[in-house]
Structure formats: C-alpha cells, structure tokens
C-alpha cells in the first residue's frame, strides 16, 4: 500500500482589511459642556502621533450620529464632521477595532488637529 502526500491542501491565512480615513477634528474652538476649553486641552494633551479615542454621543441634541474625539486623557477636543461620523459610527456600534492617531496639531491663534482613523476588520 502506498501512502501519498496530498500537495493540494490549501492553507488559509486571514489578513485583516484596513480602511484608512484622514480628516480633521471640528468644533475645536468651542468649550465643552463642563466649561473646559478644547483649545487648552489640545495645547496641553495632544501631540502629533498621539493615540486618540472616539466616542458615540447618541444623545447629542444637534446630531444623533455625533462622534466625540477625545484626548489620550479622555478629555473632549471636538467632533468628527457629520459625514465622517456617519461613516465611522457603524464601526463604533459593531465594536470594530479602531485606531485613531493625531496626524498633525497646528495653528497660530486657533489650534487644529488632523486625524488618521484606521478601521481593522
């Protein structure tokens, strides 16, 4: 009896798909509900390449799809714009792995923050 080696066996390797979005934080000139200054929070807590966080805000009176952007210390620095929030919100609800990085922080009178958002599925 001959025992043969089956060379037609396929090995399946799952490679995650990554969707990358570049955008900027909106509402950075406003103060938070607790009176804290988003500009001060950005100045003190946000640097280029910092990991940031996103948090859905379904009770927002202006937009039920609102998504807050938080510093590494969980302080709000602004929001995603309406279109980006609608794109990202399903990933937040589905607990998709999301990496958010400050790509730039700049400005003279008013600081702004650029984001890179990576959705890993």
């Amino acid at each position: 009896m001959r025992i043969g080696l089956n060379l037609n066996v396929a090995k399946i390797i799952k490679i995650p798909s990554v969707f990358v979005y570049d955008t900027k934080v909106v509402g950075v000139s406003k103060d938070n509900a607790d009176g804290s200054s988003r500009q001060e929070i950005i100045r003190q807590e946000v640097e280029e390449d910092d990991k940031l966080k996103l948090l859905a805000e379904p009770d927002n009176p202006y937009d039920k799809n609102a998504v807050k952007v938080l510093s590494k210390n969980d302080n709000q620095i602004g929001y995603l714009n309406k279109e980006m929030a609608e794109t990202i919100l399903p990933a937040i609800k589905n607990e998709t792995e999301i990496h958010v990085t400050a790509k730039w922080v700049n400005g003279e009178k008013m600081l702004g923050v650029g984001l890179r958002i990576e959705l890993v599925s």
Side-chain angles (χ1 to χ4, degrees), residues 31-37 75:
D31 287 337
N32 291 319
D34 65 2
S36 60
S37 165
N75 292 308

Side-chain angles (χ1 to χ4, degrees), residues 88-98 120:
I88 299 300
L89 191 58
I92 293 172
K93 288 180 178 178
N94 291 328
E95 299 181 3
T96 299
E97 185 177 340
I98 302 173
V120 181

Side-chain angles (χ1 to χ4, degrees), residues 53-58 65-70 74 78-79 89 92:
K53 302 169 188 171
L54 302 178
L55 180 65
E57 189 183 43
N65 295 319
V67 176
K68 293 180 183 182
V69 181
L70 307 176
D74 293 328
Y79 287 93
L89 191 58
I92 293 172

